[in-house]
């Protein structure tokens, strides 16, 4: 959130404090102080007893409670990413501000248990405004918690992705041929997802590639798997699946240098994105802006992109991937030409002048 708040701080008469619910290093503290007026962190006692997990958790919770009680009064308290145990201090935070805002970012809603959702309700009940990164996700939150939109304010808050201004410059100064030459790629590129998490559905993607009409000598298949929940297991399973197959397959396990990552986006002819869930990832948006012909699951919350006219091949289930892939391969140039509208749409979507309007409204900075 630092890039977003730094811009707001520079453009408006506003100061921000940062309350981090875990210990931080001195290096991180110094970095945060460039943006925030005060940096408060949960530096609970670090001793032999706290190394015992349950005792350490109790110390952490007690310290959160103690720090919260000693916070000064604020105009706004904004909870970014709702850890369930924030419910333990949400009443205190409510008393410390005139306006309480909660932003959900994805896994803090999608990957929590019923038990944790029960605690979420406590904080949500106290909040004035609930925010999410896109309207579909926001609607899902309101429906799940039975919130009344007439009584509980809501907003779509999209964080500034500062890397996009650099990516835009990169796109202006490079093309796919230059990018492929720099990466020593001499085939058409199919990039499958953007991380190693189980939700990417690597096995389903690989199955469709094997069943498709891809001419093996003309295509290179790339699986970027540098991070994500279940990464090690996903990599191991995929390596077993592709072993002995004569496709040209590359599994990327280590982080790429930033310009090589941008080159990969620009080199990609076909991008497959059928995660079980997603929240407007920068990686997916960069593939669209770079001109990749993208095959995307229609179940993902991208109604906004379709409304704005983004071109992609939308499929209703992973079972449709093979047919969609064959269609793209057979009519590649037709699809490629239609992606030309995407660059300007995406770059406008992530432009600060468009993003900041909602932030200014929610923070009453007009």
């Amino acid at each position: 959130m630092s890039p977003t708040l730094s811009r707001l701080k520079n453009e408006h008469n506003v100061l921000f404090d940062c309350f981090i619910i875990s210990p931080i290093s001195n290096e991180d503290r110094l970095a945060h102080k460039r943006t925030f007026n005060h940096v408060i962190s949960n530096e609970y006692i670090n001793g032999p007893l706290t190394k015992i997990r349950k005792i350490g958790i109790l110390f952490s919770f007690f310290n959160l409670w103690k720090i919260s009680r000693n916070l000064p009064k604020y105009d706004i308290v904004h909870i970014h990413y709702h850890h369930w145990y924030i419910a333990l201090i949400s009443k205190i935070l409510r008393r410390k501000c005139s306006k309480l805002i909660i932003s959900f970012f994805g896994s803090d809603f999608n990957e929590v248990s019923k038990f944790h959702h029960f605690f979420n309700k406590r904080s949500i009940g106290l909040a004035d405004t609930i925010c999410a990164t896109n309207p579909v996700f926001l609607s899902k939150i309101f429906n799940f918690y039975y919130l009344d939109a007439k009584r509980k304010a809501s907003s779509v808050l999209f964080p500034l992705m500062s890397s996009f201004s650099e990516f835009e410059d990169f796109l202006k100064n490079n093309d796919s041929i230059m990018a492929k030459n720099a990466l020593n790629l001499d085939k058409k590129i199919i990039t499958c997802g953007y991380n190693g998490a189980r939700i990417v559905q690597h096995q389903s993607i690989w199955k469709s590639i094997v069943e498709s009409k891809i001419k093996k000598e003309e295509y290179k298949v790339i699986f970027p798997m540098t991070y994500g929940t279940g990464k090690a297991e996903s990599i191991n399973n995929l390596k077993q699946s592709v072993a002995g197959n004569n496709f040209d397959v590359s599994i990327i396990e280590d982080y790429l240098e930033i310009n090589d990552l941008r080159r990969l986006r620009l080199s990609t002819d076909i991008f497959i994105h059928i995660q079980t869930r997603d929240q407007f990832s920068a990686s997916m948006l960069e593939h669209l802006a770079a001109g990749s012909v993208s095959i995307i699951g229609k179940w993902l919350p991208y109604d906004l992109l379709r409304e704005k006219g983004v071109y992609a091949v939308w499929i209703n289930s992973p079972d449709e991937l093979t047919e969609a892939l064959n269609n793209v391969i057979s009519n590649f140039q037709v699809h490629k030409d239609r992606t030309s509208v995407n660059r300007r749409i995406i770059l406008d979507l992530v432009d600060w002048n468009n993003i900041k309007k909602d932030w200014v409204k929610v923070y009453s900075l007009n």
Side-chain angles (χ1 to χ4, degrees):
M1 295 308 304
S2 288
T4 304
L5 301 181
S6 293
R7 286 288 190 102
L8 290 173
K9 179 181 176 180
N10 292 335
E11 295 178 16
H12 299 270
N13 185 26
V14 59
L15 293 176
F16 295 101
D17 284 358
C18 180
F19 181 10
I20 302 170
I21 60 177
S22 60
I24 59 172
S25 66
N26 289 332
E27 184 181 358
D28 284 343
R29 186 176 297 276
L30 288 172
H32 285 309
K33 282 187 174 180
R34 299 189 192 106
T35 301
F36 300 101
N37 196 39
H38 297 102
V39 179
I40 306 154
S41 59
N42 183 14
E43 304 294 336
Y44 56 89
I45 299 169
N46 187 15
L49 281 176
T50 60
K51 294 186 185 301
I52 301 172
R53 187 171 182 272
K54 289 184 178 179
I55 294 177
I57 290 172
L58 287 175
F59 268 105
S60 175
F61 286 173
F62 174 75
N63 216 43
L64 281 177
W65 176 81
K66 185 172 68 173
I67 293 170
S68 300
R69 284 172 60 90
N70 292 320
L71 289 173
K73 288 277 188 177
Y74 291 97
D75 295 304
I76 295 171
V77 169
H78 191 166
I79 299 168
H80 290 285
Y81 197 96
H82 192 279
H83 295 281
W84 65 271
Y85 46 83
I86 290 175
L88 300 175
I89 59 171
S90 55
K91 263 194 174 180
I92 300 172
L93 297 178
R94 171 70 273 181
R95 293 196 298 266
K96 295 289 183 176
C97 63
S98 300
K99 185 177 185 180
L100 179 63
I101 305 169
I102 300 176
S103 282
F104 286 90
F105 283 84
S107 57
D108 49 351
F109 176 85
N110 292 316
E111 296 184 19
V112 301
S113 66
K114 290 181 180 179
F115 177 73
H116 292 166
H117 277 302
F118 173 79
F119 278 90
N120 284 356
K121 289 180 182 178
R122 177 183 175 92
S123 300
I124 288 171
L126 295 168
D128 297 288
T129 304
I130 306 298
C131 304
T133 51
N134 66 75
V136 177
F137 183 33
L138 188 60
S139 178
K140 184 178 179 182
I141 293 168
F142 267 66
N143 290 335
F144 183 86
Y145 292 122
Y146 299 102
L147 302 178
D148 186 346
K150 294 179 181 178
R151 296 185 179 183
K152 185 77 69 177
S154 65
S155 183
V156 173
L157 291 183
F158 195 77
L160 175 65
M161 298 180 181
S162 55
S163 61
F164 264 95
S165 59
E166 297 172 7
F167 189 55
E168 183 173 10
D169 291 337
F170 182 85
L171 293 176
K172 289 176 182 175
N173 297 311
N174 295 270
D175 60 28
S176 61
I177 294 174
M178 295 166 65
K180 284 185 178 181
N181 287 339
L183 294 176
N184 295 314
L185 300 171
D186 58 2
K187 297 180 180 179
K188 287 184 177 179
I189 304 300
I190 299 176
T191 298
C192 308
Y194 60 81
N195 67 76
R198 288 185 288 267
I199 60 173
V200 173
Q201 305 195 90
H202 304 94
Q203 295 296 331
S204 293
I205 294 173
W206 175 245
K207 179 174 178 288
S208 290
I209 287 171
V210 172
E211 293 174 350
S212 72
K213 298 176 182 177
I214 292 172
K215 293 181 179 178
K216 299 178 181 180
E217 67 277 5
E218 294 181 6
Y219 285 86
K220 182 177 184 66
V221 180
I222 297 178
F223 287 89
M225 304 179 73
T226 58
Y227 67 94
T229 304
K231 165 190 165 181
E233 181 184 0
S234 295
I235 290 174
N236 184 56
N237 290 340
L238 186 61
K239 283 182 176 179
Q240 291 181 37
S241 296
V242 304
N245 199 295
N246 59 357
F247 274 96
D248 184 356
V249 179
S250 177
I251 298 173
I252 302 175
E253 300 181 49
D254 299 318
Y255 282 100
L256 295 174
E257 187 271 331
I258 186 62
N259 276 331
D260 280 344
L261 186 59
R262 290 168 180 157
R263 290 183 183 108
L264 176 60
R265 311 275 197 249
L266 196 50
S267 297
T268 297
D269 296 283
I270 301 171
F271 173 57
I272 300 173
H273 183 47
I274 60 165
Q275 289 189 179
T276 55
R277 57 183 179 273
D278 195 29
Q279 297 298 330
F280 274 80
S281 70
S283 301
M284 185 271 297
L285 294 176
E286 286 181 357
H287 271 290
L288 290 170
S292 306
V293 177
S294 300
I295 302 174
I296 302 176
K298 202 171 183 179
W299 58 88
L300 295 170
Y302 299 147
D303 300 53
L304 180 63
L305 297 183
R306 291 196 289 273
E307 288 170 11
K308 288 185 174 293
V310 163
Y311 179 75
V313 177
W314 304 94
I315 60 174
N316 293 306
S317 80
D319 294 337
E320 297 179 5
L321 179 56
T322 303
E323 182 181 352
L325 195 52
N326 285 335
N327 179 274
V328 170
I329 291 166
S330 300
N331 304 282
F332 179 76
Q333 198 55 50
V334 173
H335 290 287
K336 182 68 175 177
D337 291 344
R338 295 186 68 181
T339 66
S340 61
V341 301
N342 291 348
R343 181 169 300 184
R344 184 38 50 198
I345 294 172
I346 297 301
L347 293 177
D348 283 346
L349 181 69
V350 298
D351 181 76
W352 172 241
N353 288 322
N354 293 323
I355 290 172
K356 71 178 180 181
K357 296 172 185 175
D358 290 324
W359 289 91
V360 168
K361 182 178 179 182
V362 167
Y363 284 171
S364 303
L365 299 178
N366 291 322

